[in-house]
Amino acid sequence: MAIERTFSIIKPDAVRRNLIGKIVAKFEENGLRPVAMKKIKMTRAQAEGFYAVHKERPFFGELVEQMIASPVVVQVLEGENAVLKNREIMGATNPANAAEGTIRKLFALNMGENSVHGSDSPENAAIEIKFFFTDDEIVG
Ligand code: ADP
Ligand code: MG
């Protein structure tokens, strides 16, 4: 297995409920190390650009509003098989379907406010990392 990097967002619903530490602990306990991390307030343009793939979906407007409502924590996570491992740690998009012990099972409020984002492929991880981080912000 290769060492990979993936992109993660701790979403507004989780940041508002003081869950940053508990969520980062889940990543660290499962072998994913944050190699870059910052708290930002996403702009509308960033949120619309980041989720452009979903722009025709009925939930797009609500998703953008939720993502810009209050600060998020963006991270680059590094570890073996990081993309897939992060998706396992996160759990299913709909928390009702998320496995026991996953972040979304533990913390998500509903399908939209589901506490975390994670890249779905190594290709998208590279694109998403570049969307929020410069090379010199990734410090290992
Ligand atoms: P994931 O975040 O698990 O990769 P998607 O890429 O399919 O899921 O969707 C992106 C985000 O859009 C989800 O995390 C969730 O916040 C929101 N979303 C997806 N589907 C719905 C839906 N049916 N209703 C409301 N929000 C949704
Ligand atoms: Mg997705």
Side-chain angles (χ1 to χ4, degrees):
M1 269 193 289
I3 298 290
E4 271 180 352
R5 286 178 175 172
T6 191
F7 176 73
S8 164
I9 305 175
I10 303 176
K11 293 185 178 185
D13 72 272
V15 173
R16 278 200 295 268
R17 288 178 290 144
N18 290 337
L19 294 170
I20 296 170
K22 289 198 169 93
I23 289 173
V24 173
K26 279 274 168 203
F27 295 138
E28 291 183 326
E29 285 162 6
N30 286 283
L32 295 182
R33 159 192 291 272
V35 293
M37 181 187 274
K38 58 189 174 186
K39 190 177 192 183
I40 62 167
K41 182 132 187 311
M42 240 188 243
T43 64
R44 182 176 296 277
Q46 278 177 315
E48 288 178 351
F50 183 76
Y51 279 120
V53 64
H54 294 304
K55 68 175 183 294
E56 306 303 334
R57 310 280 288 277
F59 58 81
F60 180 71
E62 182 188 329
L63 176 60
V64 169
E65 294 303 330
Q66 286 169 350
M67 293 303 288
I68 68 175
S70 59
V72 300
V73 173
V74 289
Q75 295 178 86
V76 180
L77 301 174
E78 184 177 272
E80 286 201 356
N81 243 351
V83 172
L84 198 63
K85 189 178 282 180
N86 183 36
R87 296 293 309 198
E88 286 171 7
I89 299 165
M90 289 165 58
T93 307
N94 184 345
N97 301 327
E100 288 300 326
T102 61
I103 291 170
R104 284 167 165 171
K105 178 71 177 189
L106 287 166
F107 303 128
L109 299 175
N110 51 57
M111 182 92 163
E113 294 178 298
N114 58 3
S115 301
V116 280
H117 165 85
S119 308
D120 60 8
S121 68
E123 295 73 27
N124 283 336
I127 293 166
E128 292 175 0
I129 289 168
K130 272 202 187 311
F131 199 93
F132 285 103
F133 290 98
T134 59
D135 285 348
D136 66 349
E137 288 178 313
I138 303 171
V139 291

